[in-house]
Amino acid sequence: MKKLIPFAVAVLLFTSCETKKESNAIPIAGTWRLISAETTEKDSTFSTFNSKTKMIKIINDTHFAFFNHDLNNGKDSTALFFGGGGKYTLKDSTYTENLEFFNNREWENNKFEFTIKIKNDTLIQKGIEKVEKLGVDRIIVEKYVREK
């Protein structure tokens, strides 16, 4: 019994020194479903959300991926699928995606910086999509709900 007490104290000290994640970090990891999207180009703002598709974004500690497909199982002229992903960084509320993979290869190797906010189970990201070689330069606002 006398030998167990120093061992228990050592274990307790060791585990109390364990590093903990910041409690005020934004809880971005998870699976998110797109529920609205808005684009502003020049002086025009319009919805880009398509209720005939489903898009999810999956975020873990280091990477993100997104997938979008039609709800008709690809059986008619509305067949659609696209996806992409890569590494990301998150500093405070600045979320930067480094798009490494995308089915439209001209979008690859671009960085997209967003300001994010999470309220309850809703993630809102707002930022600029700019791909010079494609002539893309717009502000996007996307709203996601956490999938359960």
Side-chain angles (χ1 to χ4, degrees), residues 28-32 55-67 82-90 95-102 107-114 116 123 125 129 140 142 144:
I28 194 170
T31 302
W32 302 89
M55 179 171 165
I56 61 168
K57 182 178 282 197
I58 302 168
I59 303 172
N60 67 21
D61 289 341
T62 57
H63 288 77
F64 73 97
F66 57 89
F67 306 99
F82 65 85
K87 292 181 180 176
Y88 77 90
T89 59
L90 177 62
Y95 168 70
T96 305
E97 294 180 343
N98 299 291
L99 189 59
E100 299 172 64
F101 308 96
F102 191 53
W107 283 77
E108 290 183 346
N109 301 312
N110 284 288
K111 287 185 180 186
F112 302 96
E113 188 174 288
F114 302 98
I116 62 166
L123 164 69
Q125 71 177 50
E129 272 187 341
I140 65 168
E142 295 176 333
Y144 296 86

Side-chain angles (χ1 to χ4, degrees), residues 1-144:
M1 183 70 166
K2 286 183 180 181
K3 290 181 181 179
L4 284 176
I5 293 173
F7 177 73
V9 169
V11 168
L12 184 63
L13 287 172
F14 179 75
T15 56
S16 67
C17 294
E18 183 181 318
T19 351
K20 303 215 188 238
K21 287 187 176 182
E22 287 182 44
S23 60
N24 62 354
I26 295 176
I28 194 170
T31 302
W32 302 89
R33 179 175 38 87
L34 186 69
I35 58 171
S36 74
E38 189 175 84
T39 297
T40 302
E41 290 184 274
K42 298 185 172 124
D43 295 334
S44 225
T45 299
F46 48 92
S47 173
T48 52
F49 180 74
N50 183 349
S51 62
K52 295 178 181 175
T53 67
K54 180 177 182 180
M55 179 171 165
I56 61 168
K57 182 178 282 197
I58 302 168
I59 303 172
N60 67 21
D61 289 341
T62 57
H63 288 77
F64 73 97
F66 57 89
F67 306 99
N68 193 345
H69 69 89
D70 63 272
L71 298 176
N72 293 327
N73 298 315
K75 293 183 179 170
D76 60 23
S77 63
T78 65
L80 167 82
F81 175 82
F82 65 85
K87 292 181 180 176
Y88 77 90
T89 59
L90 177 62
K91 183 166 174 38
D92 299 321
S93 64
T94 302
Y95 168 70
T96 305
E97 294 180 343
N98 299 291
L99 189 59
E100 299 172 64
F101 308 96
F102 191 53
N103 57 296
N104 182 342
R105 306 301 284 273
E106 294 180 277
W107 283 77
E108 290 183 346
N109 301 312
N110 284 288
K111 287 185 180 186
F112 302 96
E113 188 174 288
F114 302 98
T115 300
I116 62 166
K117 179 172 45 170
I118 295 178
K119 185 173 182 181
N120 299 323
D121 280 348
T122 303
L123 164 69
I124 300 169
Q125 71 177 50
K126 178 181 181 177
I128 297 174
E129 272 187 341
K130 187 169 187 170
V131 183
E132 286 186 34
K133 63 184 170 187
L134 295 175
V136 174
D137 188 4
R138 56 191 174 209
I139 297 169
I140 65 168
V141 179
E142 295 176 333
K143 191 181 287 188
Y144 296 86

